[in-house]
Amino acid sequence: MKIFKILAVSAMVLGLTSCVSKKQYEALSSNYKQCIENIGERQREIQDLKSQNSALSGENNLLKSQHDALKSSLDACLSNSGKSSANIDKLVGEINASNSYIKQLISSNAKNDSLNLALSNKLKRSLDNVADDDVQVKVLKGVVMISLSDKMLYKTGDYNILPAAQEVLGKVAKVINDYDKYSVLIEGNTDNAALSSANLPRDNWDLSALRGTAVAKILQTQFGVDPARITAGGRSEYNPKATNMSVSGRAENRRTEIIIMPKLDEFMKLMDIAPKK
């Protein structure tokens, strides 16, 4: 509501340009443009928060269902006089463990989701002036995925990084360095166009792997990303995102992906939380 009030006031002020100086008009016009940019950023953040909230709500509902099932079992046990006290105590213990598990899982997921949301928003803001066709950023199942077009990074059939790509990789590296507890996975991909040469790259396996490691080396040598955090490789033509029957589909399949996620041991802890016994 505050944003719409600001826009309304800005519109009124802009409508009075005949009553103010040119300098005042330019200042008001600049403020109006800034308001429009702020609205777009807030709307993106709201959409990200809605997606995170929907995922958490689904997990919470599932855990509540499990808890209700355990409580129903306890009620049935209490109504059955043939059950021993030991079994009742065991069931009560399982319910208490389930409650503890729910709290741990919600807390861990909330922390992980908030970190990924902050990371995603920071990347989107830093890459806001880059064409969407060249850079795509999204959060999927707890990891942040950055997808880079091959035409921005390399020449056709080559794996050397183009100078124009350095700016984008520098912005990505800045965010990676800010989140130093995360691991970085870099995947090179190709379309299914055959590549055969006596020299490197000899085939699509070579090309995809060399492209992945080329990005890794730039992040390490040019922008100071710790190489111990990086895993780089290639998936050749065997991880297609679209059909290879069209030009746009083949371009989509040649993208290089940078995946930022919690370090493996931390990620496994989140995946392996179990009720205490």
Side-chain angles (χ1 to χ4, degrees):
M1 183 60 74
K2 289 183 178 180
I3 293 175
F4 291 111
K5 287 183 178 179
I6 291 172
L7 291 176
V9 171
S10 299
M12 292 174 62
V13 172
L14 290 174
L16 299 176
T17 54
S18 60
C19 300
V20 299
S21 68
K22 181 178 180 181
K23 184 176 181 180
Q24 290 173 319
Y25 169 77
E26 290 175 347
L28 290 171
S29 178
S30 177
N31 288 337
Y32 174 77
K33 292 178 180 178
Q34 186 62 47
C35 288
I36 294 298
E37 293 175 359
N38 289 340
I39 289 174
E41 186 173 335
R42 295 293 84 77
Q43 287 176 336
R44 288 194 297 269
E45 291 179 353
I46 288 171
Q47 190 60 41
D48 286 338
L49 286 170
K50 285 182 178 179
S51 297
Q52 298 293 339
N53 184 61
S54 176
L56 283 174
S57 295
E59 291 179 357
N60 192 40
N61 289 336
L62 176 60
L63 291 170
K64 284 182 177 179
S65 296
Q66 293 174 344
H67 177 267
D68 291 342
L70 284 171
K71 188 176 183 301
S72 296
S73 296
L74 176 60
D75 292 339
C77 183
L78 290 173
S79 65
N80 188 342
S81 60
K83 295 293 183 181
S84 67
S85 176
N87 286 337
I88 293 176
D89 290 341
K90 182 179 178 181
L91 193 55
V92 170
E94 290 178 353
I95 291 177
N96 290 335
S98 178
N99 284 333
S100 176
Y101 171 59
I102 290 171
K103 291 178 181 178
Q104 290 179 59
L105 186 59
I106 291 175
S107 175
S108 297
N109 282 341
K111 180 181 178 181
N112 192 45
D113 288 340
S114 64
L115 286 172
N116 280 312
L117 180 59
L119 175 56
S120 174
N121 286 338
K122 189 167 185 178
L123 274 167
K124 287 178 180 177
R125 285 194 295 270
S126 66
L127 299 171
D128 198 44
N129 63 334
V130 182
D132 289 341
D133 288 342
D134 288 334
V135 180
Q136 298 171 5
V137 180
K138 63 181 179 179
V139 177
L140 181 63
K141 294 184 179 180
V143 301
V144 176
M145 304 181 68
I146 309 166
S147 186
L148 306 174
S149 69
D150 70 311
K151 66 182 177 63
M152 180 188 71
L153 293 172
Y154 330 94
K155 292 181 180 179
T156 301
D158 194 15
Y159 57 89
N160 293 299
I161 304 296
L162 295 171
Q166 299 262 351
E167 180 182 358
V168 171
L169 292 178
K171 291 179 178 180
V172 172
K174 174 64 170 60
V175 177
I176 291 174
N177 285 330
D178 287 345
Y179 289 79
D180 58 357
K181 301 300 182 185
Y182 281 61
S183 292
V184 182
L185 173 62
I186 304 171
E187 291 184 351
N189 293 275
T190 70
D191 58 25
N192 65 349
L195 180 65
S196 180
S197 172
N199 302 313
L200 288 177
R202 290 164 297 198
D203 52 30
N204 282 334
W205 275 116
D206 281 351
L207 181 59
S208 63
L210 288 168
R211 285 183 167 185
T213 54
V215 172
K217 290 175 183 177
I218 290 292
L219 294 179
Q220 174 190 352
T221 61
Q222 299 297 321
F223 303 109
V225 176
D226 182 359
R229 300 171 56 197
I230 301 175
T231 301
R235 303 189 70 174
S236 187
E237 64 195 68
Y238 303 109
N239 186 38
K241 298 296 180 64
T243 176
N244 281 302
M245 300 301 292
S246 67
V247 173
S248 61
R250 289 193 296 274
E252 184 71 16
N253 293 336
R254 293 193 300 267
R255 301 180 77 88
T256 296
E257 295 186 337
I258 301 176
I259 303 169
I260 307 172
M261 59 185 178
K263 290 185 178 180
L264 184 59
D265 55 345
E266 295 297 324
F267 187 73
M268 293 305 294
K269 286 179 184 178
L270 292 175
M271 298 298 292
D272 198 33
I273 297 174
K276 297 177 181 178
K277 296 183 179 179

